[in-house]
Amino acid sequence: MIASLKLRRTVLSLLTIAASAALAVYYPRLEAALPSLVYLTGWLLLLLCLFLTAYNVRKKLPFLPLFSSRLWLQFHAYAGLFAGLVFFFHLRFAFPVGLFNLALAALFLAVTFSGIFGWWLSRVIPRRLTTAGGEVPFERIPAIRRDLRLRAEAGALAAIPEAKATTLADFYVKTLAPVFAAGPAFLPHIMGSRAALNDRLAALAEVSRYLSPPEQARADSLAELVRARHVLDFHYANQLLLKTWLFSHVPLTYGLLLLTALHVVLVHAFSGGAG
Amino acid sequence: MSNEGRQPAPEFDDTRYERPQKDWLCGHACEGCPCRLGPSPSGDCRAGPQCKPLLVAPEGESKGLWKCTRSADWGGPCPTGPNPDGTCCQVTPPCAPVRSLRSRRGLLVRLTLAACFGLILVILYGPWREAAINPGPLTPVHSGPAFAAAHSAAGVNDTQGCVHCHTASHRSPGEWLSTAAASLVPGAPLAPTQLISREARDFDPMDAACQSCHQPHSFHQASVANDTSCSACHLEHQGRGQNLLAVNPSHCTACHGDNSKMADAAALARRLDPALFTKKIADGSVAFAVARPPEGLTARITSFATDHPEFRLHAPGTIDPNPLAFDHALHLTGEAIPLLDGKRLDCRSCHVPDQSGALMQPVRFALHCQSCHDLPIDPATPSLVVPHGSAEAARAFLRALSAAYSDDAVQRLGLSGAPLRAHVTEKLDALHLLHPSGEALERKVFFGDPSAPAGRDSCSLCHVVEAAPAGATPRIAPARVPDIWMPHARFDHARHTQVACVACHAATTSVLTTDVLMPAKATCASCHSPAGGVTDSCTACHGYHNPPPTGVTKTAYLPDQLKRALASAP
């Protein structure tokens, strides 16, 4: 098997393009030669769907020597794109008619587009996370968030005896404590917004003018913690999105398989010769 | 490597073991302080005392000190020790465990499957079953209350007449499954080997339903070894506006492009009665007759432009058998041809489309010829003309000229009595000067004047006139112009009006009636080909169904098995 990811990607892209071009070029001839071509494209589509679903099964059976998950994912992505093309040939580029067929086609498109969306996310989000820095496992985020909060509270409290003033502590209680105590905002971080961070840092800079030198040092530490919390929330939101797009793709896939099974039964039970 | 302004990775306790693959997570996990034990596999909180204190008492006494037994994994014995009552002082607060993301996804999968399964049950057993599984609207002729009333099966849930074609439709879904499985076994219509076959599906049980209304089944040609299923060509459920007659030409070339099938058909054709191949045409119509080859029309054809044979009316030696003498070139281009309504003659002067515009009406003497060829016998009385259409009538007219002159004078001049009698006598005398006898006049009318150049006033100008024994009427061969030149094809002049007539019919150069002025294949293919851009579908000209000859019905026809046996016989 080709070890290089890029080379494998290139090879699979070329293979997918070649298969798609062959299908597009030869389909009219096949259509003229094979009266039952629509059944053949249907079976091909079913096989592709089963292969695509097998990736999820493969992930549940890590002990089996069935190539790496990364390799499966690559095959899954390119086979999925090819299946989308076969789907349109199976429909003969006509709008599906009939309630059941319409539901089946809508489900297929939903699975396909959710897959493409997920593929796009898996290419974009890791880069965004790397660019932001502060890599952290998703499951550790709540503990780190708590740790940041405790450290911020401790820093703010420590400033009171050092400066013999409560300016920074009051500011923390009024402005920063709710931020550290609250859960992460999802949408602003998905959109890459830094407005909230800038507001907090600006507020901290504003209050810094009234702080004594010991408090200034604590305020600088708090600013670092605010930045860390922002990055942590950014990671949480993006990693959550990376995990939750599968909430649409996987369930819809199994639903699609179930309806496809009924479609196969209906077609064969009602098709001409089977009467 | 430089961080380039990126936030460093935060520190965390990497000795802790997270359980993302577990179904349940500690309820305190979202607060960042999950308990070390975590929930049970069934999702129950297992929080409680961190140890079970041990009572250390001297031997023989019931009182003593409680000793902490917390394990090293939990930090070892706690500094405060157990409570005085022997309970642990380090109690982990209980929580409400939450599902992990993975577990939630699995739950959503199961819910989706349950929803889809429920949807399937509703579809299969609900009142909208037929509407839901219908893959598309039917054409109006195969749907609607009248169709349903005529074809619904009594006593079953079939309100749309589905059962008429789909015998499985009113059965239980379990039977659908067995029916579907049966359609996949070897030899069944949808078996894998059949799917990759180039042959259209054979005549199958559903076609019996078609034939119950469309009787008798119009077979294609007697030499076809297999009758193709109706549904192979006529696709239903494609929408109410679907044209069931629009057939993919690939269905035709599947057989006509296959040498072996054509060879089988040719072998069969040689063994069958030629009468079976008689083309049925509309009553009263005359078709241009071309001998059918003994092997039938079995040339291999894959497309019209490339290997469709030349039209058989252009076979060597084939002539137009019409005995009428007509010079198309002279009439269209001759300088001596008089103008008609101030214009030169053109094709439309004589060839007028029928009501549908598809074919041309027959050329009629009275409508298209008589204005020039009006058969006068007396230059002084041009209104007096020999009747056309019957030699006997013409002869009777010539033998009763006095009555003809009298009628003409009454109608045209309003004469009567003595003036009328004088007028008739005068005319007959004048005619007598031109034609010394009645026999001479008849000879001139039927055979023309041998001493003069061919005029426009004798039967023999256009017709073959055979002399009869003395006293009998000469025989005039009538014109025989076919109504249909190519009975195995159809043509619609109305759809070709943008093309000049002479672009297809070489009339301007034809001087003989024997010339077949139908276009050659190449003429048609110049447009009807991929290069020409106009459809070259077989069905543009040909129909698959061929009504059987009179007296031959499908039931009296050869069954498929016998035809196959005949074809393979030595």
Side-chain angles (χ1 to χ4, degrees), chain B residues 503-546:
Chain B
C504 300
H505 304 282
T508 52
T509 57
S510 168
V511 296
L512 298 173
T513 312
T514 53
D515 294 340
V516 176
L517 297 185
M518 292 296 115
K521 189 200 90 168
T523 307
C524 301
S526 64
C527 294
H528 292 280
S529 61
V534 184
T535 176
D536 61 346
S537 166
C538 309
T539 53
C541 300
H542 300 287
Y544 174 84
H545 296 291
N546 187 22

Side-chain angles (χ1 to χ4, degrees), chain A residues 31-37 39-40 43 56 59-60 92 96-101 103 107 129-140 142-147 149 151 224 227-229 231-232 240 243-244 246-248 250-252 254-256 258-259 262 264-275, chain B residues 6-18 20 29-33 101-102 104-105 108-109 112-113 116-117 119-120 123-124 131-137 165-169 171 173 176-177 179-180 183-184 189-190 194-201 204-206 231 235 237-238 248 250-251 253-254:
Chain A
E31 196 176 28
L34 300 173
S36 303
L37 186 61
Y39 293 95
L40 292 175
W43 282 115
N56 199 33
K59 286 198 294 185
K60 293 180 189 305
R92 290 177 279 198
V97 281
L99 286 175
F100 179 69
N101 284 356
L107 206 50
L129 295 177
T130 304
T131 305
E135 291 86 352
V136 61
F138 182 75
E139 292 76 20
R140 307 277 184 186
I144 296 168
R145 190 190 302 139
R146 178 172 181 269
D147 182 50
R149 178 171 60 83
R151 283 165 59 191
E224 279 305 307
R227 287 193 189 92
R229 172 61 195 260
V231 171
L232 195 68
L240 187 64
K243 288 175 182 293
T244 49
L246 286 170
F247 275 62
S248 61
V250 175
L252 289 178
Y254 286 106
L256 174 66
L258 201 58
L259 293 194
L262 178 61
V264 172
V265 170
L266 287 177
V267 164
H268 286 80
F270 280 73
S271 194
Chain B
R6 293 195 297 261
Q7 191 73 16
E11 294 175 358
F12 50 85
D13 181 6
D14 56 4
T15 62
R16 288 186 62 92
Y17 176 64
E18 302 295 344
C30 60
E31 299 159 14
C33 52
L101 276 180
R102 186 171 177 276
R104 288 182 201 183
R105 203 175 72 204
L108 191 58
V109 168
T112 307
L113 280 174
C116 288
F117 193 71
L119 178 68
I120 288 174
I123 287 174
L124 295 183
I133 65 174
N134 188 343
C165 297
H166 303 288
T167 52
S169 67
R171 295 181 191 151
W176 288 356
L177 193 61
T179 308
S183 73
L184 291 169
L190 298 176
Q194 290 294 111
L195 297 186
I196 57 172
S197 165
R198 294 172 64 92
E199 295 182 15
R201 286 215 305 266
D204 61 36
M206 185 194 268
S231 58
L235 294 176
H237 292 288
Q238 304 294 311
N248 190 328
S250 64
H251 296 306
T253 54

Side-chain angles (χ1 to χ4, degrees), chain B residues 9-94:
Chain B
E11 294 175 358
F12 50 85
D13 181 6
D14 56 4
T15 62
R16 288 186 62 92
Y17 176 64
E18 302 295 344
R19 302 177 180 86
Q21 302 298 323
K22 294 282 186 186
D23 288 342
W24 294 93
L25 299 177
C26 177
H28 297 305
C30 60
E31 299 159 14
C33 52
C35 64
R36 294 185 69 91
L37 194 57
S40 70
S42 58
D44 297 325
C45 177
R46 292 190 288 192
Q50 293 183 1
C51 77
K52 188 176 180 183
L54 179 68
L55 180 65
V56 180
E59 193 174 344
E61 293 187 16
S62 60
K63 293 184 179 177
L65 293 174
W66 292 99
K67 186 181 176 185
C68 178
T69 58
R70 195 166 72 169
S71 70
D73 287 347
W74 289 73
C78 60
T80 52
N83 293 323
D85 58 356
T87 57
C88 177
C89 67
Q90 301 288 334
V91 177
T92 306

